[in-house]
Structures are given as structure tokens and as C-alpha cells.
Amino acid sequence: MLDKTSDGSKGHGLTFTRHSHPAPVDVNERVRLLENPGFGRVFTDHMVTIRYSDSEGWHDARIEPRAPFQMDASSAVLHYAQEIFEGMKAYRLADGGTALFRPEANARRFRSSAERMAMAQLPEELFLESIRLLVRTDSDWIPSAEGGSLYLRPFMIASEVFLGVKPSAEYIYAVIASSVGAYFKGGAPAVSLWVSQDYTRAAPGGTGAAKCGGNYASSLVAQAEAIRQGCDQVLFLDAAERRWIEELGGMNIFFVFDDGTLATPPLTGTILPGITRDSILTLAKDMGLTVREEPYAIDQCRADAESGRLREAFACGTAAVVAPIGEMKMRSGNFTIGGGGPGQTTLRMLGALTDIQRGKAPDSHGWLDRLD
């Protein structure tokens, strides 16, 4: 089936062509898959693609059956890693509707990442329309189980066929969707962190604030080390002094002190400006908490944990939402934070955020983008 469709967004001049899936997943098989989807392994029937070239601009917008890309072996992304992506979710609301959470923030960050990677910048309204269109098309793939959601992965790759070192003149933007459950498995009350003192995630002037694949690729060796040490995640320190806490391999980090203060490392260009991070800062201020964005040394963190001044710590991001941190391990020894499990402030933040995302609490900041 072939038709034209639009979500009504203005300003980009493109209409999506719809190519319906000729053989979508059988409804009974879909129900079976959604019973326990895990994370990032169950994919929906459709995808969005839009192409760009310097000569034509953005063109050929379509929603079509999810399928492999056919790429030339000389495509620029395979050699020079011009690639960016986003992570966001669609939720089933308490009233049965569906909604996105702060998609405009993802659209802005996607443009910022593209600018840093010398890539074509997708108009924000076109980004938003592509997301809404895919969710509306595949909304039956949103799990109904507690904690389930539809994880959305917008991404862009350099597709020009050439071997010269320069920004690509052609790009493919795409959106795929995955039905997901909880990010962390195993039933542990909190995650453990390995403090990496050999590897760093980003340096001043680098791509730390961009959401590009290279940042995650460079973190994998440190994450593998964390797993060998019996930890769930790796914690990176700054590249210059190997002293200041920055972030995890894919999440920002917060600390809760005995006076009720909430603190997180500042955004100085080496840390990804997380949308969940920003949301938590806003909610904390709404709750009357004192919030600080300031450097925090790993040695001070250990001393504060041992003295009891540091009561809680948690990581946050789109995939995991809020994950309590119970223990940190490093070569000089291990230390426990608080009682080693989720603290009251951590649980309060998790509840406040997820209640808004799922339509169970008032959305005073206008963060929900309702789709029906």
C-alpha cells in the first residue's frame, strides 16, 4: 500500500510517503514477544527514513517496512564515523492514550550533535513529525506490562560514497522502534560501579556533549573491565586529572547528601546533557530541594560515603530512568553508599518522573506530547 501522510507539522515542506508492511508480525506472535521483551531486541514492523544531499537538501521522506540498509563499502560512516543518534520513549498512559516525553529536547540535542559532527542539521519540526508518525503507526507494539515502553532510536549516518577525509555530502536519517521492559535485570536493589582510572570517556574540546556512537564505542573496553570486576556499570573520571567524577558509560549521575542537597557534575562540554538529568534538576527544585551543579572528586565521594555525609547516589538516563547506586569499586578499595540500596530521595525522584511520563501525575511543565 502506498499513500501520502503528514502529522501536520509546518515549515519543512516534506510529505511522508507511506509504504505499509505487506506482512506485519502476526498479532499472536506480537503478544508473545511483548510478554518479556527485554531491552533492544524486539523491533516493530516499520521504520522512518529521510535522505539528504547537498544538492537536494532533505528529501524522500517515507515510513516503510523495517528492513536492512544496502550500503556501498565506501560509505563515509564506515570509515570516518560520522554518526549521531538519540534515545527516547513512547509511553502508554494511565487513560489508555500514548505520549512522548519532552521530544522537543531530543530534537534540539540531535541538531546540536549534528553540528558538532559536521553533519547536516535536520529541522526540529521534521524530527518531531518523524517520531510521531512512527509511534502512531506502531503503537500496538507498546508493552502493557508494568515498566514497559516503546524505545525510539532516531539516528543519522553519513552515506556519501568516497574515501576523502571531509564532511559527507549525503546522509540517511532513520527512526526505528523497539518494545522494551526494564533496562537492568537481576533483581539487585542497586547497581554497582567500577571507577575507571585507566580509561576516560571524553576530554575538553572533544565530542563528550554530542550523542555520537564513537563516545559509546570508546567506553566499551572500560565497561568490559567493570563486568570483570563484578560491577554493573563503569564510572568515568575527567581526562586531565583523573580526579573529578563525570558520568557513567551511558548515564548521568546524582548525589544526595545528609542535609538534603542534591548535586551533579556540571556540564562543561565533556558530559552529555541528559534530558532525564535536566528533568530531575527541575523536579528537585519543585520539591524545594537545594540543587548544586558542581565538580565532585572521587576521593571526596569516598570520604563522604564513609563518614555518612553522602547518603544516596543514583544514575539516570532515558533507558534506565533512575537507577540507585549502592557500591563503588576501585583499585584502592570498595565503598558502600548509604545502606547499599535505594534511598528515599532516589525513590521519590523515580516515582515523580515516571508518574508524569505515564500520565499518573499532573504535567505542570508541559513535558508530555500526547499522540491520542
Side-chain angles (χ1 to χ4, degrees):
M1 178 180 176
L2 175 64
D3 61 22
K4 303 289 186 178
T5 187
S6 173
D7 264 4
S9 299
K10 304 297 183 182
H12 55 71
L14 284 182
T15 299
F16 284 82
T17 301
R18 181 190 295 273
H19 300 262
S20 297
H21 203 300
V25 173
D26 177 78
V27 61
N28 293 323
E29 175 63 8
R30 186 179 69 228
V31 169
R32 186 191 69 79
L33 290 170
L34 296 188
E35 289 178 355
N36 184 22
F39 197 94
R41 296 187 179 275
V42 174
F43 295 94
T44 68
D45 291 312
H46 295 87
M47 64 190 292
V48 166
T49 57
I50 311 174
R51 295 181 179 270
Y52 174 89
S53 68
D54 284 352
S55 60
E56 296 182 76
W58 292 102
H59 64 282
D60 194 17
R62 59 177 66 192
I63 183 163
E64 57 192 348
R66 183 177 176 274
F69 285 141
Q70 283 191 323
M71 297 184 66
D72 191 286
S74 299
S75 295
V77 66
L78 302 177
H79 302 273
Y80 307 116
Q82 267 192 298
E83 182 271 352
I84 59 172
F85 67 96
E86 274 297 318
M88 50 199 302
K89 288 179 177 178
Y91 299 91
R92 185 76 68 196
L93 302 180
D95 62 8
T98 58
L100 300 165
F101 181 74
R102 302 190 65 185
E104 296 86 357
N106 292 97
R108 289 192 298 269
R109 190 170 65 181
F110 197 75
R111 281 181 62 89
S112 177
S113 295
E115 181 179 18
R116 177 61 183 86
M117 300 299 289
M119 302 174 75
Q121 295 183 42
L122 185 75
E124 291 178 21
E125 64 271 17
L126 187 52
F127 177 98
L128 293 171
E129 185 170 353
S130 70
I131 300 297
R132 293 167 181 153
L133 181 57
L134 182 58
V135 173
R136 286 185 169 126
T137 300
D138 283 346
S139 62
D140 288 341
W141 285 88
I142 303 177
S144 58
E146 181 71 23
S149 59
L150 190 65
Y151 184 82
L152 301 160
R153 173 53 58 86
F155 65 97
M156 183 162 61
I157 60 174
S159 57
E160 184 181 1
V161 177
F162 78 107
L163 293 178
V165 182
K166 70 174 184 67
S168 177
E170 298 176 7
Y171 297 93
I172 298 172
Y173 165 78
V175 190
I176 56 176
S178 175
S179 307
V180 300
Y183 186 73
F184 288 111
K185 294 290 187 180
V191 297
S192 56
L193 306 185
W194 172 252
V195 181
S196 179
Q197 295 170 286
D198 297 320
Y199 302 102
T200 58
R201 178 185 173 275
T207 60
K211 199 166 178 66
C212 61
N215 291 343
Y216 294 80
S218 64
S219 74
L220 296 179
V221 65
Q223 176 63 26
E225 182 180 52
I227 297 298
R228 289 195 300 271
Q229 296 294 331
C231 295
D232 300 295
Q233 284 282 315
V234 60
L235 176 65
F236 288 107
L237 306 177
D238 73 293
E241 299 181 61
R242 310 292 175 94
R243 177 188 179 196
W244 304 103
I245 293 172
E246 294 212 321
E247 65 174 295
L248 280 64
M251 291 177 279
N252 296 123
I253 189 167
F254 278 86
F255 303 94
V256 183
F257 297 95
D258 57 0
D259 61 358
T261 298
L262 188 70
T264 191
L267 301 179
T268 58
T270 59
I271 295 174
L272 184 73
I275 295 164
T276 306
R277 173 189 184 276
D278 182 71
S279 302
I280 288 172
L281 289 172
T282 300
L283 291 175
K285 293 171 185 176
D286 290 347
M287 295 173 182
L289 299 177
T290 300
V291 177
R292 300 197 307 264
E293 296 180 70
E294 62 184 20
Y296 192 37
I298 187 62
D299 289 344
Q300 187 63 52
C301 177
R302 179 173 189 156
D304 289 344
E306 292 174 344
S307 71
R309 178 173 178 263
L310 176 62
R311 296 291 179 84
E312 305 173 39
F314 61 88
C316 66
T318 297
V321 190
V322 171
I325 298 168
E327 183 182 24
M328 292 191 186
K329 298 181 180 181
M330 50 197 304
R331 282 198 293 265
S332 58
N334 310 335
F335 59 95
T336 301
I337 298 173
Q344 291 184 352
T345 300
T346 300
L347 293 176
R348 188 181 180 191
M349 286 297 167
L350 174 61
L353 186 58
T354 56
D355 281 353
I356 293 173
Q357 290 172 335
R358 298 183 184 279
K360 297 179 180 179
D363 177 23
S364 60
H365 297 283
W367 285 341
L368 281 186
D369 181 12
R370 288 197 64 121
L371 303 182
D372 57 20

